[in-house]
Amino acid sequence: MEGPELQLRFTYRASAPAHRRVKESPLSSDLIFKQSHAGLFNLCIVVLVAVNSRLIIENLMKYGLLIRTGFWFSSKSLRDWPLFMCCLTLPVFPLLAFMIEKLAYRAFISEPVVILLHVIITTAEILYPIFVILRCDSAVIAGITLMLIASVVWLKLVSYAHTNFDLRALSNSSKKGELAYPSHDNYHDVRFKTLAYFVMAPTLCYQQSYPRTTCIRKSWVIRQLVKLVIFTGLMGFIIEQYINPIVKNSQHPLKGNFLYALERVLKLSVPTLYVWLCMFYCYFHLWLNILAELLCFGDREFYKDWWNAKTIDEYWRMWNMPVHKWMVRHVYFPCLRNGLPKGVAVMIAFLISAVFHELCIGIPCHIFKLWAFLGIMFQVPLVILTNYLQNKFKNAMVGNMIFWSCFCILGQPMSVLLYYHDVMNRIGRTE
């Protein structure tokens, strides 16, 4: 008798044991994060499409089509022109940083002078767009876009200066015969081509070479560009058709009836969550991957599975990897090397993040209530709370639900309402 037939005859007999080892149910807390849930994910998509199709029809019947261009571009395009020119002139600052590094590489200027000049350049780079935005009555989205680009350039300038400073220190140590870090490439050179690639690359951490891919997949790039256009349009539709009517029919959340404000926040939570997820997908997955493909940039870990975050601390370490790597490289570990406690280093990292969140939102809105700053700094006690709860309950689901509730269901809608009413109040006082 052949092997398979023999195995079939003796393996599937009535006396063969059906239970051989200890197993958990697929939805138990021990296994829920260790297996695929593609079927449930598909079910969620089908349910969301069905529910939101009804909401779309109901919204269109109630309000009609509300798409307008005034939110995205000012009614007088000349108001946005100074911001556009400011954006075009930002590359001047990396060019100045390159000239300083070239002089330092040739030992024409001393190290303290190099540091002072870099401080002046980075400070001027971030103050320049702030001055332009505050002097112009431009669209809010145009101002936010400019501040985001300026913030990215600022982070790149800091990384460029800090990395070259460290490379010079390692190079000098090697020349003196001192022991350098064994796996570190101590070769130091300052080339414009390297800086130009870094300025365009989807990373905030400067290094003299990056892992590269061999070719550009043109058809892949086209498909991603089509997705980018579609999801950007979807974001605009949700903002105009859903978020704007809700916030217009709301009161200031800190001045009106508490239950009414809570109802507006909960009603706003779903469309803001959709916009936030679309924004994440458009920028971190589509745009950064498109840029990486065009530049043959190999390391494309722009995010991790932050949706499985069990604590606020895990979320901030996984959702924006370019910023996280910059913080670790240029803030957190330098603080530790200078003798600061870990808690203080984390506080400094959150403080820098809070300042730039406030600059990117408060400056374009022309209001200085520090809502974005306070929102980021409030993450510190949330980090402590979620870490405590995670250690206490030892359950990944508890921390994950707290993260989604605090960050997406309550935090983002509250921020939208606060900034909307403050902007409307400012416009009313101006008029």
Side-chain angles (χ1 to χ4, degrees):
M1 186 178 293
E2 298 296 331
E5 295 180 2
L6 183 65
Q7 184 180 8
L8 181 65
R9 178 178 177 182
F10 288 98
T11 300
Y12 294 98
R13 297 181 67 90
S15 60
H19 307 282
R20 299 177 181 272
R21 62 180 185 272
V22 176
K23 295 181 181 180
E24 294 287 345
S25 298
L27 293 179
S28 64
S29 58
D30 293 332
L31 291 181
I32 194 167
F33 288 115
K34 297 180 181 179
Q35 58 185 345
S36 172
H37 296 86
L40 290 176
F41 180 74
N42 290 335
L43 173 63
C44 291
I45 292 178
V46 171
V47 172
L48 284 174
V49 170
V51 172
N52 287 280
S53 296
R54 184 194 66 81
L55 292 175
I56 290 172
I57 296 172
E58 180 183 346
N59 182 276
L60 290 172
M61 292 173 62
K62 183 177 181 179
Y63 298 107
L65 192 63
L66 299 177
I67 303 299
R68 58 189 177 86
T69 59
F71 180 81
W72 305 98
F73 305 98
S74 60
S75 56
K76 297 181 179 179
S77 59
L78 290 178
R79 292 180 180 179
D80 294 333
W81 185 251
L83 275 64
F84 179 69
M85 295 304 297
C86 176
C87 186
L88 291 181
T89 54
L90 286 178
V92 170
F93 296 96
L95 182 60
L96 293 175
F98 168 76
M99 294 171 63
I100 292 171
E101 286 300 324
K102 201 68 175 179
L103 293 174
Y105 176 72
R106 296 178 178 176
F108 289 160
I109 52 179
S110 62
E111 204 64 52
V113 175
V114 173
I115 295 174
L116 176 61
L117 292 175
H118 275 304
V119 170
I120 293 173
I121 289 174
T122 52
T123 304
E125 190 276 334
I126 202 66
L127 291 179
Y128 171 45
I130 292 175
F131 174 79
V132 173
I133 292 172
L134 293 180
R135 290 293 300 270
C136 301
D137 185 20
S138 59
V140 172
I141 291 298
I144 291 176
T145 302
L146 175 59
M147 284 306 306
L148 287 174
I149 294 173
S151 298
V152 169
V153 174
W154 187 90
L155 295 171
K156 286 177 178 280
L157 287 175
V158 171
S159 181
Y160 183 68
H162 192 187
T163 303
N164 277 297
F165 172 84
D166 194 46
L167 286 173
R168 282 195 299 274
L170 289 171
S171 179
N172 292 334
S173 298
S174 299
K175 291 177 181 178
K176 294 178 182 179
E178 298 178 6
L179 182 63
Y181 187 62
S183 63
H184 198 287
D185 182 10
N186 294 329
Y187 174 73
H188 180 217
D189 192 10
V190 178
R191 293 180 296 175
F192 180 76
K193 181 180 179 180
T194 306
L195 173 61
Y197 184 85
F198 168 60
V199 170
M200 297 299 298
T203 179
L204 300 174
C205 294
Y206 173 74
Q207 56 193 65
Q208 297 189 118
S209 62
Y210 296 94
R212 304 287 290 271
T213 56
T214 56
C215 63
I216 299 175
R217 297 169 292 176
K218 297 178 181 179
S219 60
W220 183 90
V221 171
I222 294 174
R223 290 197 302 271
Q224 305 312 306
L225 284 172
V226 171
K227 292 180 184 178
L228 183 62
V229 172
I230 292 173
F231 278 92
T232 302
L234 179 60
M235 277 194 294
F237 176 77
I238 295 174
I239 291 173
E240 293 289 347
Q241 199 69 32
Y242 291 93
I243 295 180
N244 280 349
I246 295 175
V247 296
K248 286 180 179 179
N249 296 324
S250 66
Q251 300 174 356
H252 197 289
L254 301 181
K255 298 179 181 179
N257 181 274
F258 172 76
L259 289 179
Y260 178 79
L262 181 61
E263 185 272 337
R264 290 287 97 179
V265 167
L266 293 177
K267 186 174 183 179
L268 196 59
S269 62
V270 175
T272 54
L273 176 59
Y274 289 164
V275 169
W276 184 67
L277 292 176
C278 286
M279 179 278 300
F280 165 79
Y281 184 71
C282 284
Y283 183 74
F284 287 97
H285 184 72
L286 295 177
W287 171 245
L288 291 183
N289 271 290
I290 290 171
L291 194 58
E293 186 72 20
L294 294 176
L295 295 173
C296 296
F297 187 84
D299 185 2
R300 303 184 184 184
E301 189 186 47
F302 304 122
Y303 56 90
K304 293 184 178 179
D305 58 334
W306 55 265
W307 45 87
N308 291 328
K310 298 179 284 293
T311 64
I312 300 296
D313 178 45
E314 281 191 10
Y315 164 76
W316 285 109
R317 286 189 281 109
M318 294 193 298
W319 102 280
N320 187 341
M321 292 307 295
V323 170
H324 172 69
K325 291 177 181 177
W326 186 93
M327 286 288 186
V328 169
R329 194 180 192 222
H330 301 293
V331 176
Y332 182 74
F333 279 110
C335 288
L336 296 184
R337 283 194 293 268
N338 283 278
L340 294 178
K342 289 184 178 180
V344 176
V346 171
M347 282 292 294
I348 292 174
F350 271 104
L351 181 63
I352 294 173
S353 177
V355 169
F356 275 92
H357 275 79
E358 182 63 33
L359 290 178
C360 290
I361 301 177
I363 296 298
C365 292
H366 294 256
I367 56 174
F368 308 99
K369 297 294 185 69
L370 301 180
W371 299 127
F373 179 87
L374 294 174
I376 296 299
M377 293 308 296
F378 184 66
Q379 304 297 307
V380 177
L382 279 181
V383 167
I384 298 173
L385 174 63
T386 52
N387 285 340
Y388 168 76
L389 293 175
Q390 180 64 24
N391 293 330
K392 182 177 178 63
F393 292 103
K394 302 296 183 181
N395 190 325
M397 293 296 293
V398 173
N400 188 255
M401 292 176 68
I402 292 174
F403 152 68
W404 282 113
S405 300
C406 294
F407 196 82
C408 296
I409 304 303
L410 298 176
Q412 294 180 20
M414 179 65 75
S415 300
V416 171
L417 290 176
L418 288 171
Y419 273 102
Y420 173 80
H421 285 286
D422 286 336
V423 169
M424 291 298 102
N425 291 335
R426 178 187 66 83
I427 293 175
R429 289 193 300 269
T430 303
E431 292 178 350

